[in-house]
């Protein structure tokens, strides 16, 4: 994963992985930043069980959570969950990565404020939780650097940035309007 070429504006750091999901795990946290503003953030975990795992259909598994603030009017689009899911599969496909057992959820949550918080602007967040089994390549190890690059592209797309690199040649790619930082209410 350390060999991955990442897009500018992505800050990435290792973090403590979960201990009980697999015998071996490595985790990263990342944020898409514009100046001092975080546009989106996420976590990617690489799991490895040398004995294999039936549900994974392999010995490796990637697990992710990505999230970003949305303009409230975007959350009412009934196609938004399918579009967001396609960003993940599209980023993997654009890099020619083989994978299996992809599953996950796309969740939109809206917050409306009342009473003493009534002056705060409504906030909407989108969250993608997903996992997939990267197919093993040469030496029995998947190209984790390419999977990390694809994941970073997903993170950028949920942040509202247009696709770059291999995904520029994809047809039908839809980007969210770029937002300017999290809409954290004051007070």
């Amino acid at each position: 994963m350390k060999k991955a070429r990442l897009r500018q504006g992505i800050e990435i750091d290792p973090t403590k992985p979960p201990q009980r999901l697999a015998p071996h795990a490595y985790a990263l946290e990342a944020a898409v930043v514009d100046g001092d503003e975080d546009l989106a953030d996420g976590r990617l975990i690489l799991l490895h069980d040398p004995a294999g795992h039936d549900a994974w259909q392999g010995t490796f598994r990637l697990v992710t959570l990505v999230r970003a603030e949305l303009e409230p009017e975007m959350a009412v689009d009934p196609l938004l969950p399918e579009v967001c899911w396609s960003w993940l599969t599209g980023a993997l496909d654009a890099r020619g990565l083989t994978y299996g057992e992809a599953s996950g959820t796309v969740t939109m949550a809206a917050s409306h404020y009342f009473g003493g918080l009534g002056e705060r602007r409504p906030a909407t967040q989108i969250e993608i939780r997903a996992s997939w089994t990267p197919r093993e390549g040469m030496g029995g190890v998947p190209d984790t650097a390419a999977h990390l690059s694809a994941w970073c592209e997903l993170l950028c797309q949920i942040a509202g940035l247009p696709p770059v690199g291999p995904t520029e040649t994809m047809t039908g790619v839809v980007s969210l309007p770029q937002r300017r930082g999290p809409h954290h209410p004051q007070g």
Side-chain angles (χ1 to χ4, degrees), residues 98-113:
T98 56
Y99 59 94
E101 310 310 312
S103 60
T105 62
V106 176
T107 305
M108 294 171 289
S111 298
H112 298 269
Y113 301 95

Side-chain angles (χ1 to χ4, degrees), residues 62-114:
L62 285 158
V63 180
T64 189
L65 163 68
V66 296
R67 61 184 168 238
E69 296 290 326
L70 284 177
E71 296 299 324
E73 56 273 7
M74 290 293 299
V76 298
D77 184 342
L79 297 177
L80 187 60
E82 287 82 9
V83 169
C84 290
W85 184 257
S86 75
W87 291 337
L88 170 62
T89 58
L92 294 168
D93 294 342
R95 284 163 179 75
L97 296 170
T98 56
Y99 59 94
E101 310 310 312
S103 60
T105 62
V106 176
T107 305
M108 294 171 289
S111 298
H112 298 269
Y113 301 95
F114 300 94

Side-chain angles (χ1 to χ4, degrees), residues 38-41 67-72 74 109-111 113 121-127 158-160 176-185:
D38 285 359
L39 302 177
D41 61 57
R67 61 184 168 238
E69 296 290 326
L70 284 177
E71 296 299 324
M74 290 293 299
S111 298
Y113 301 95
R121 179 182 151 167
T124 305
Q125 187 177 63
I126 189 157
E127 179 180 277
I158 201 170
L176 291 176
Q178 185 175 0
R179 56 180 197 84
R180 290 289 167 196
H183 298 289
H184 295 295

